[in-house]
Amino acid sequence: MFFNLTLPTFITRIITLLLAFTFHEFAHAAVATALGDPTPRMHGRLTLNPLAHLDMMGTLTLVLVGFGWAKPVPVNPYEVRRKTKAGMMLVSLAGPATNLLLAVIAAIPLRFGWVSLRPTTSAFLPSWGSFLFEFLTINLALFFFNLLPLAPLDGEKVITFFLPDHWVDVFDRIRPYSPLILLAIVFILPMFGINILEVIIWRPLQGLASFLIGR
């Protein structure tokens, strides 16, 4: 929560989220544009300007409670599917894949010992090691979280592309309730000691983070 955050951690999260959300949404826009859809460019989303992508409430809640969102990039499914049947899947996958790439880039200085993970004492600024590790962790969290197969997350469009038609029909029926299911997983079930995210996000995240930094 906000009151437990130190100033260095708060600064780290703000910078990380500005970059993570911006590159995530830009990747959606860039792939859609590459597939022939002019919609992202028409709405000013084919840019690395954070102001074009950030939802202020979504960013604030992610900093404070670990759950948030950016403004979704408008995409015309018909346009991207004219290029390839996998159009919407590729557009959706581009965002999480970009977060994974950012995490890999952040891991390189840590893995090769160019930056120490040991925190330095500063009341105002994070050490390079703590900044990179937090940057890596948040981007991996966004990678795994966005791949959950629930609308409006990217994973729903990714998984339905690979499923047989009868399973797609199941997801179509679930879709109207997906936001409620997501809220239950994130906020309600943990109140009863049921932490699904621990199993499907945090444990894989810790394993992948350890692999990337060689620990």
Side-chain angles (χ1 to χ4, degrees):
M1 297 294 290
F2 173 77
F3 297 108
N4 295 326
L5 290 180
T6 63
L7 182 58
T9 300
F10 184 77
I11 292 172
T12 297
R13 289 190 182 180
I14 289 294
I15 295 173
T16 296
L17 292 170
L18 282 173
L19 294 172
F21 277 165
T22 298
F23 278 91
H24 179 109
E25 299 302 331
F26 173 77
H28 287 315
V31 172
T33 301
L35 292 174
D37 182 11
T39 309
R41 188 189 299 275
M42 291 167 54
H43 285 80
R45 303 300 298 276
L46 191 64
T47 176
L48 288 173
N49 180 356
L51 296 179
H53 302 293
L54 295 183
D55 180 285
M56 296 309 296
M57 182 59 68
T59 302
L60 183 62
T61 58
L62 187 54
V63 171
L64 301 185
V65 301
F67 177 81
W69 58 90
K71 290 190 293 187
V73 173
V75 175
N76 185 332
Y78 174 74
E79 292 289 347
V80 298
R81 287 180 181 138
R82 289 175 63 184
K83 198 82 162 185
T84 170
K85 289 173 60 177
M88 283 305 297
M89 184 275 291
L90 294 173
V91 171
S92 298
L93 185 60
T98 299
N99 291 124
L100 178 60
L101 177 61
L102 291 173
V104 171
I105 292 171
I108 292 173
L110 299 171
R111 184 175 184 89
F112 291 100
W114 302 338
V115 174
S116 174
L117 267 174
R118 287 179 293 183
T120 57
T121 56
S122 172
F124 303 103
L125 296 174
S127 67
W128 278 110
S130 60
F131 174 82
L132 288 173
F133 187 74
E134 183 88 358
F135 185 90
L136 179 152
T137 301
I138 289 175
N139 273 286
L140 287 183
L142 290 172
F143 167 70
F144 283 111
F145 183 75
N146 277 288
L147 285 180
L148 294 179
L150 290 169
L153 300 178
D154 300 316
E156 194 245 6
K157 292 184 179 65
V158 173
I159 194 171
T160 53
F161 174 76
F162 296 100
L163 291 175
D165 290 342
H166 65 278
W167 275 104
V168 174
D169 292 339
V170 172
F171 273 84
D172 286 340
R173 289 194 292 270
I174 293 174
R175 187 174 293 115
Y177 309 101
S178 291
L180 295 177
I181 296 171
L182 194 58
L183 289 173
I185 291 173
V186 174
F187 293 113
I188 298 174
L189 293 181
M191 295 171 59
F192 299 94
I194 305 172
N195 196 337
I196 296 176
L197 296 182
E198 173 71 23
V199 177
I200 62 178
I201 291 182
W202 293 112
R203 289 181 189 174
L205 185 157
Q206 290 167 355
L208 183 53
S210 297
F211 171 77
L212 290 175
I213 66 176
R215 295 291 179 91

